[in-house]
Amino acid sequence: MPIIDDKQQPIPLDEHLCFSLYATSRAIQKLYHDGLSQNGLTYPQYLVLVSLYQYHNVTVKKLGNLLALDSGTLTPLLKRLENEGLVKRQRSKKDERVVNVCLTAAGTKKREEVNELPEILVKKSHFSKTEWDQLESLSNKLFENITAKD
């Protein structure tokens, strides 16, 4: 935790958790890059496929919540995946404002082709299962706390 002295000196870069998380996120994306680019995917597209593989048929709104993406970011992403035949979007028959999205057979296959990426990250981390579980738990807790509505 950053320690601020009486003079309120600015916190050095190496004590900024935000920078550590940012740099780590970029390093993970770089680690995933080769496997994703070989399969014609970007990191955000990969996350969509992972979510849809897990949750199957969801609304675009729920998918946005799962991925912490707004509709302005998610909609073009889904359009591109749909144009590539990986997802299917369909308006709800009960409520035209609701759009459901699911993986196609090609999307399911593509998701399964990049299944090893998380394992590569775990191995590269050299963390024990306990350390990995702690990191994941604390990261999720931090996200929930800072995004909670006050």
Side-chain angles (χ1 to χ4, degrees), residues 20-33 121:
S20 175
L21 293 173
Y22 168 76
T24 301
S25 178
R26 287 183 45 89
I28 291 169
Q29 289 180 47
K30 185 177 180 187
L31 181 66
Y32 278 38
H33 181 266
L121 174 61

Side-chain angles (χ1 to χ4, degrees), residues 22-145:
Y22 168 76
T24 301
S25 178
R26 287 183 45 89
I28 291 169
Q29 289 180 47
K30 185 177 180 187
L31 181 66
Y32 278 38
H33 181 266
D34 287 344
L36 292 175
S37 64
Q38 289 171 3
N39 285 281
L41 293 171
T42 64
Y43 188 70
Q45 290 172 333
Y46 165 74
L47 295 178
V48 168
L49 297 184
V50 168
S51 298
L52 292 176
Y53 192 88
Q54 179 179 355
Y55 293 100
H56 307 292
N57 191 358
V58 297
T59 65
V60 171
K61 182 177 180 177
K62 179 173 178 165
L63 185 60
N65 289 339
L66 289 169
L67 297 172
L69 294 174
D70 61 43
S71 62
T73 302
L74 187 56
T75 299
L77 189 56
L78 292 173
K79 281 183 181 180
R80 182 166 178 209
L81 289 170
E82 188 173 39
N83 289 338
E84 293 175 13
L86 301 176
V87 303
K88 180 180 176 186
R89 292 180 300 157
Q90 188 171 349
R91 292 214 174 267
S92 168
K93 289 179 173 53
K94 294 178 184 176
D95 185 345
E96 287 286 316
R97 297 170 296 177
V98 176
V99 177
N100 295 303
V101 62
C102 64
L103 286 178
T104 62
T108 298
K109 184 177 183 222
K110 182 77 73 174
R111 165 62 184 110
E112 291 170 349
E113 288 171 356
V114 292
N115 195 42
E116 78 288 347
L117 294 176
E119 245 179 75
I120 293 169
L121 174 61
V122 171
K123 286 179 184 174
K124 191 108 171 148
S125 76
H126 300 288
F127 284 0
S128 68
K129 176 161 178 22
T130 301
E131 289 172 321
W132 187 266
D133 290 346
Q134 284 178 315
L135 175 63
E136 198 166 37
S137 176
L138 289 172
S139 178
N140 288 334
K141 183 178 180 180
L142 176 61
F143 178 78
E144 289 170 15
N145 288 348

